[in-house]
Amino acid sequence: MCEIAVDQTSNWLMVDPWEAIQTDYMPTALVLDHVEHEINGVLGGVEATEGIRRPVRIALLAGADMVQTMSTPGVWSDKDLESILGRYGTFIVERTGTDIDDALANLRPWEDNIYVIQQLIQNDVSSTKIRLFLRRQMSVQFLIPASVIEYIEEFG
């Protein structure tokens, strides 16, 4: 579904299906390790305007609702938090209904690697909400691309 959405809406984004094709759950830290290896290790970084390849910084993009779980003791391992927030860092998209200060409460050791993207226009669309709407047989039209809706309808 991500590939369908990106193929039809962007000429600069790509989807790596690696996590989705794994038979077992993949912790976020391992997914970031994979992306870093593929982009900087295998590809040698990205091509800069002067034509040379440069390594890039990999970071997690997440909603504040997900990051809030990182502040909840016992949900994430200390090792994973150190890898995700210490090594990679994160860009957090504010979410309606999530107090950003509360979400960041226990993440102070990594505050220099945490960047908050302010929600200037109220938008509470999230993958969690899309799944909820679909379970309740509510319309997701205008929330996700029509081609993704067609895929969901075709494959359930």
Side-chain angles (χ1 to χ4, degrees):
M1 289 183 282
C2 291
E3 287 175 339
I4 292 167
V6 167
D7 286 347
Q8 294 190 351
T9 60
S10 176
N11 63 357
W12 62 275
L13 291 174
M14 57 82 64
V15 173
D16 181 339
W18 180 81
E19 180 182 10
I21 63 172
Q22 300 306 304
T23 56
D24 295 319
Y25 165 75
M26 287 288 109
T28 303
L30 291 180
V31 175
L32 291 170
D33 288 345
H34 167 78
V35 171
E36 200 282 329
H37 169 75
E38 290 296 319
I39 292 175
N40 290 324
V42 175
L43 296 177
V46 296
E47 189 172 323
T49 53
E50 50 289 348
I52 60 171
R53 297 195 82 74
R54 295 178 188 246
V56 293
R57 180 176 177 194
I58 305 301
L60 175 67
L61 175 64
D65 50 339
M66 181 186 141
V67 173
Q68 188 168 33
T69 68
M70 292 178 171
S71 276
T72 306
V75 175
W76 294 76
S77 75
D78 291 340
K79 179 182 172 193
D80 281 356
L81 287 176
E82 184 55 44
S83 177
I84 295 165
L85 301 175
R87 179 176 179 197
Y88 295 109
T90 186
F91 288 83
I92 303 169
V93 179
E94 285 185 321
R95 289 267 200 251
T96 302
T98 301
D99 182 315
I100 195 68
D101 292 327
D102 187 42
L104 299 175
N106 294 325
L107 306 180
R108 299 283 179 237
W110 304 284
E111 65 187 344
D112 290 342
N113 257 356
I114 297 173
Y115 305 90
V116 176
I117 301 169
Q118 292 183 329
Q119 183 173 270
L120 301 176
I121 298 172
Q122 190 168 358
N123 177 357
D124 66 345
V125 176
S126 67
S127 59
T128 302
K129 186 161 279 191
I130 297 297
R131 289 190 298 273
L132 175 66
F133 276 36
L134 292 170
R135 274 194 309 276
R136 293 181 177 174
Q137 298 182 337
M138 297 169 64
S139 174
V140 291
Q141 187 177 10
F142 307 117
L143 300 178
I144 57 177
S147 55
V148 175
I149 295 171
E150 291 167 11
Y151 179 92
I152 291 168
E153 289 171 351
E154 181 179 346
F155 297 100

